[in-house]
Amino acid sequence: MKGYQSHETFMADARMIVHMVLMSLVWGVMLQLTLFYFLFVPAFKKLQAVTIGGVPVTSSQFVKYSFNFQEMLKIQPANVYLNPDEQRFFRGAKQIPVAHYRYYMDLWTNEAFANTNRKMKNAFHLSFLAYTFSLGYLLFFFNKSRNMLNDTFIRGTDFIPIEKLNQRLKERVKAENYQIPNIAIGDTVIPFEMETSHFLVLGATRTGKGVLLNQMIRQINQRKATHFTGDKIILYDLKGEFVSKHYDPNQDIIFYPYDKRSVGWNIFNEIESYPDFDTIAKSLYTATDTRDEYWYNCARDVFRMGLVFLKQAGATTNRDLWEFFSQDLETMKEVLEGLPLAEKGALKHIAQPETNQAATILSIVQERIQFFRYLVDIDGSFSLRKYIRDEQNQKNLFLLNILNYSDIFKPLMTFAIDTIIRETLSLPDKLDRRIFFVLDEIGSLYRLDSLLNLLTVGASKGASIICANQDIGRIEDTYGKSNAKTFFNNFNTNFILRINEPETAEFLSKAIGERQVIRRVESRQMTTSKYGDSRGLSEQEKTERLLLPTEFQSIPNLEAVVKISNFGVSRLKIPKIFYPTNQEYFMMRTFD
Ligand SMILES: Nc1ncnc2c1ncn2[C@@H]1O[C@H](COP(=O)(O)OP(=O)(O)OP(=O)(O)O)[C@@H](O)[C@H]1O
Ligand SMILES: [Mg+2]
């Protein structure tokens, strides 16, 4: 920029400001005169009705009474010049001291002059109020020109202040009129019906996902204690964080074969009818890669066949199952040959035990049920399905899966959650039932096809899914790119904390959406004329992303962008409420 440019701009600005101030003063003066006129004229009219010796009082007499230049200039003595009419009253004197004049005029008119004079002075003082208008005029235009460059929102997703979002939510809560306490993040209250349209929390490690989830869990538990709504919480916990903060040994359940406190369980508890063999086998054997699907389908068939065999043979302990599938192929095949024809279709996959195909399939079968090794001595009557069906059962279920060993139990945990979700989906509709699924690090599980169903139709069952993950990448890997979008879109409420991964930031920027605004742009023309440069404003319609990817990458810890569909996008602070740990996060059991 050249040196004179700022000078010209400054001068142009100064000139415009002076112009604006002058205009405000002109308005002020005009208004003052008008005010004075209306305040003073009635009093003056009254004076004109007064007479002295039968002669009406004149305006020039009032002027002489009120304004004396000699007096103002401190000339002694200050005199008043009398006209011929007045000279008659004052015995022919041509001029008299102003003090005498005032004295006699008031004496003869019963103080009418003094009163009018006082009223004039009051009117004069009051008329200065006119300048508040000048001030207002200035403020109005200063403010207007400051806002002039702001964008005007037309359509799309708008960013609103958190107070406004909170207000809207509170109004919705009021309209809903449930007598049940609402879940809230600070002042942001979640309407009861919105719970079943699900929550997604995304954020890098240490940004506050856990802090947010813990606050929600605590409030749900408090609500459970005071208002019987048949609520359950199913928590998937990779760190034992939820167990340590929320597990109540007197009424909750831990499901984790490595933990002393775990319930006893048996997979046959989940088989209630013939089709369940298929469902269970399918749930355990989902391919991680579509290219491997054939192999996983074969493994699934073999596993199902084995289950049917075990059931028919009455060998239904965990040990039976583990030992059966640990056999070598040859023996397994021989035993299965004994099945009825309709049940042994899958034998063809392992018909030739010496081939690679058979070996591959068996290794897949075994890989997914490794965890049975740790279930052999903890058979028990617990059934995930019955737990969900039992509306009187208000226990929370902790699906613990300590990170160090999480690979071993990944199939079991995926299976357990899948089974629970399926059972939830088969419950009768009940809008005010609540089954919360708190799934931290959802990306650490295999694909849960049932989860997409629960997201879309779970509301009628009262299911509320609260998912947390570090990024979208793992979800895309597990569910596929297009499914990841569906996945994201099915969460009505999103809390987005700081995102480190650029792809996720880009994904979110796109997903949050665009807005159309009218943008005003200032332009300047430089001239050398004595009036300096001039300015102009132009308007353009623009479509832009509401939030840029980089904005997600710079969110401080314990802050979030919150998006609630149909309510708006805002910025929220997660309250710094941390709960103490009351229980061991994990108690490794001893193995014989
Ligand atoms: N008890 C506590 N006292 C003080 N600060 C805490 C406490 N617990 C958590 N924090 C703070 O809150 C922040 C978020 O922690 P949080 O456990 O919620 O992270 P996260 O997003 O769940 O990360 P991760 O992916 O590692 O689980 C941390 O940076 C930490 O500084
Ligand atoms: Mg966490």
Side-chain angles (χ1 to χ4, degrees):
M1 281 285 151
K2 297 192 176 104
Y4 59 79
Q5 207 160 351
S6 64
H7 174 260
E8 288 302 289
T9 305
F10 176 80
M11 290 309 283
D13 280 356
R15 216 169 21 249
M16 287 190 220
I17 288 172
V18 167
H19 182 73
M20 182 163 71
V21 172
L22 278 178
M23 275 312 288
S24 79
L25 286 177
V26 167
W27 278 104
V29 169
M30 290 195 325
L31 195 65
Q32 183 180 25
L33 290 174
T34 317
L35 252 174
F36 179 73
Y37 178 83
F38 283 108
L39 288 170
F40 176 59
V41 160
F44 188 65
K45 286 229 166 93
K46 240 183 183 166
L47 179 70
Q48 282 176 317
V50 174
T51 55
I52 301 174
V55 183
V57 165
T58 67
S59 40
S60 89
Q61 282 169 344
F62 183 69
V63 172
K64 272 191 253 177
Y65 179 98
S66 300
F67 308 100
N68 189 286
F69 288 109
Q70 293 179 355
E71 187 183 52
M72 285 175 200
L73 298 171
K74 308 243 187 282
I75 294 171
Q76 296 285 349
N79 284 334
V80 171
Y81 295 91
L82 302 174
N83 61 29
D85 279 343
E86 290 168 327
Q87 287 171 16
R88 283 196 293 126
F89 300 137
F90 290 99
R91 298 196 199 117
K94 291 231 164 46
Q95 54 174 304
I96 59 165
V98 67
H100 285 179
Y101 184 75
R102 284 179 184 148
Y103 174 78
Y104 285 106
M105 294 311 260
D106 278 332
L107 187 69
W108 295 329
T109 60
N110 195 20
E111 306 235 313
F113 275 86
N115 286 337
T116 312
N117 186 269
R118 204 179 53 248
K119 281 181 185 153
M120 179 187 74
K121 279 183 183 151
N122 287 344
F124 180 67
H125 289 148
L126 266 175
S127 71
F128 278 93
L129 278 179
Y131 291 99
T132 55
F133 173 81
S134 298
L135 196 69
Y137 178 93
L138 282 179
L139 288 176
F140 175 77
F141 284 105
F142 269 126
N143 197 37
K144 198 157 175 75
S145 49
R146 218 184 31 184
N147 291 335
M148 213 148 181
L149 289 177
N150 288 357
D151 297 342
T152 309
F153 172 75
I154 322 175
R155 66 181 75 83
T157 321
D158 196 16
F159 201 91
I160 56 173
I162 187 69
E163 293 78 21
K164 196 164 170 188
L165 178 70
N166 292 347
Q167 186 56 36
R168 284 183 190 174
L169 290 168
K170 276 194 186 115
E171 278 162 20
R172 168 64 67 88
V173 168
K174 225 177 193 171
E176 276 186 349
N177 195 25
Y178 283 102
Q179 303 304 318
I180 300 172
N182 294 92
I183 301 170
I185 314 300
D187 289 331
T188 307
V189 186
I190 307 295
F192 184 70
E193 283 169 16
M194 202 182 275
E195 289 170 7
T196 52
S197 48
H198 319 304
F199 306 85
L200 180 64
V201 184
L202 289 172
T205 175
R206 312 305 292 150
T207 49
K209 299 185 298 295
V211 174
L212 180 66
L213 294 182
N214 284 319
Q215 288 177 27
M216 295 179 78
I217 297 167
R218 176 58 58 99
Q219 292 177 55
I220 297 167
N221 272 333
Q222 280 167 349
R223 180 164 93 185
K224 274 177 60 175
T226 53
H227 292 70
F228 183 85
T229 45
D231 294 3
K232 293 182 172 79
I233 319 178
I234 289 102
L235 306 100
Y236 176 62
D237 193 355
L238 266 179
K239 297 198 188 98
E241 182 185 356
F242 300 147
V243 169
S244 71
K245 290 179 154 71
H246 307 289
Y247 172 62
D248 178 349
N250 296 320
Q251 42 176 330
D252 295 335
I253 304 166
I254 290 178
F255 182 84
Y256 183 46
Y258 265 7
D259 198 290
K260 265 184 199 159
R261 299 163 292 184
S262 179
V263 280
W265 175 78
N266 180 299
I267 199 166
F268 288 99
N269 299 347
E270 311 300 340
I271 300 175
E272 297 175 357
S273 62
Y274 188 66
D276 294 339
F277 287 106
D278 291 284
T279 317
I280 281 180
K282 210 168 160 218
S283 174
L284 269 172
Y285 293 92
T286 42
T288 42
D289 190 322
T290 44
R291 283 168 298 187
D292 298 335
E293 230 155 63
Y294 169 75
W295 299 105
Y296 277 85
N297 287 349
C298 295
R300 185 188 67 201
D301 291 349
V302 172
F303 180 74
R304 181 194 171 283
M305 186 169 56
L307 275 189
V308 172
F309 171 81
L310 289 168
K311 180 79 181 170
Q312 291 191 349
T316 54
T317 65
N318 290 331
R319 184 177 295 279
D320 292 335
L321 190 144
W322 172 243
E323 286 176 353
F324 179 82
F325 287 104
S326 303
Q327 300 173 93
D328 61 78
L329 258 178
E330 203 66 59
T331 334
M332 192 187 294
K333 201 185 123 196
E334 262 167 45
V335 178
L336 290 170
E337 288 287 3
L339 275 171
L341 195 63
E343 298 296 349
K344 55 183 186 183
L347 260 182
K348 62 177 180 288
H349 301 312
I350 49 170
Q352 295 151 311
E354 66 290 348
T355 58
N356 267 343
Q357 154 141 359
T360 307
I361 292 170
L362 187 68
S363 84
I364 294 175
V365 170
Q366 290 171 340
E367 178 239 335
R368 283 287 166 99
I369 54 171
Q370 278 302 308
F371 59 84
F372 268 99
R373 183 199 299 270
Y374 307 100
L375 282 168
V376 289
D377 52 352
I378 57 162
D379 283 275
S381 59
F382 179 70
S383 151
L384 296 159
R385 296 178 61 189
K386 287 204 184 91
Y387 161 74
I388 290 297
R389 274 206 306 271
D390 182 0
E391 305 260 3
Q392 299 308 309
N393 187 343
Q394 268 205 305
K395 296 176 178 176
N396 293 334
L397 176 63
F398 292 81
L399 301 165
L400 192 55
N401 191 12
I402 296 298
L403 201 58
N404 296 0
Y405 323 109
S406 67
D407 276 349
I408 304 171
F409 294 106
K410 189 171 171 173
L412 176 63
M413 292 302 153
T414 308
F415 168 81
I417 295 172
D418 189 56
T419 304
I420 291 170
I421 291 177
R422 282 172 200 285
E423 200 56 39
T424 305
L425 286 170
S426 71
L427 289 175
D429 283 0
K430 190 162 179 254
L431 289 170
D432 63 353
R433 175 198 294 126
R434 282 293 175 270
I435 301 179
F436 290 96
F437 291 81
V438 181
L439 310 174
D440 198 4
E441 308 280 354
I442 177 81
S444 70
L445 292 162
Y446 289 124
R447 194 169 84 202
L448 285 160
D449 288 326
S450 55
L451 183 63
L452 290 176
N453 290 337
L454 189 67
L455 278 169
T456 46
V457 301
S460 60
K461 315 292 179 188
S464 169
I465 306 169
I466 307 172
C467 260
N469 212 44
Q470 299 202 5
D471 51 49
I472 289 286
R474 285 286 282 279
I475 295 171
E476 272 182 358
D477 291 348
T478 315
Y479 291 86
K481 244 192 162 71
S482 61
N483 279 335
K485 212 173 232 160
T486 318
F487 180 84
F488 180 84
N489 287 335
N490 275 307
F491 289 92
N492 187 70
T493 303
N494 300 303
F495 295 102
I496 303 165
L497 292 77
R498 188 178 60 257
I499 301 291
N500 291 341
E501 202 213 32
E503 287 82 13
T504 302
E506 168 64 23
F507 175 96
L508 291 171
S509 164
K510 224 176 187 164
I512 291 280
E514 296 184 323
R515 61 172 185 173
Q516 258 180 315
V517 291
I518 293 183
R519 170 146 304 163
R520 298 187 182 78
V521 187
E522 203 178 50
S523 60
R524 294 178 180 180
Q525 277 90 40
M526 304 267 299
T527 69
T528 51
S529 81
K530 73 174 185 183
Y531 293 111
D533 52 355
S534 66
R535 294 192 184 190
L537 273 181
S538 62
E539 290 189 346
Q540 28 187 267
E541 209 173 290
K542 259 194 94 142
T543 303
E544 58 176 22
R545 297 253 184 104
L546 189 61
L547 291 163
L548 295 175
T550 47
E551 290 178 82
F552 293 106
Q553 292 168 306
S554 58
I555 300 174
N557 279 356
L558 298 178
E559 279 189 31
V561 165
V562 53
K563 173 181 182 253
I564 304 181
S565 304
N566 301 327
F567 278 80
V569 178
S570 189
R571 221 25 210 264
L572 166 142
K573 279 195 162 65
I574 301 167
K576 291 195 172 71
I577 304 172
F578 311 112
Y579 301 108
T581 59
N582 295 322
Q583 300 294 328
E584 291 287 340
Y585 79 102
F586 168 44
M587 291 169 89
M588 180 63 113
R589 76 182 168 97
T590 44
F591 295 93
D592 312 323

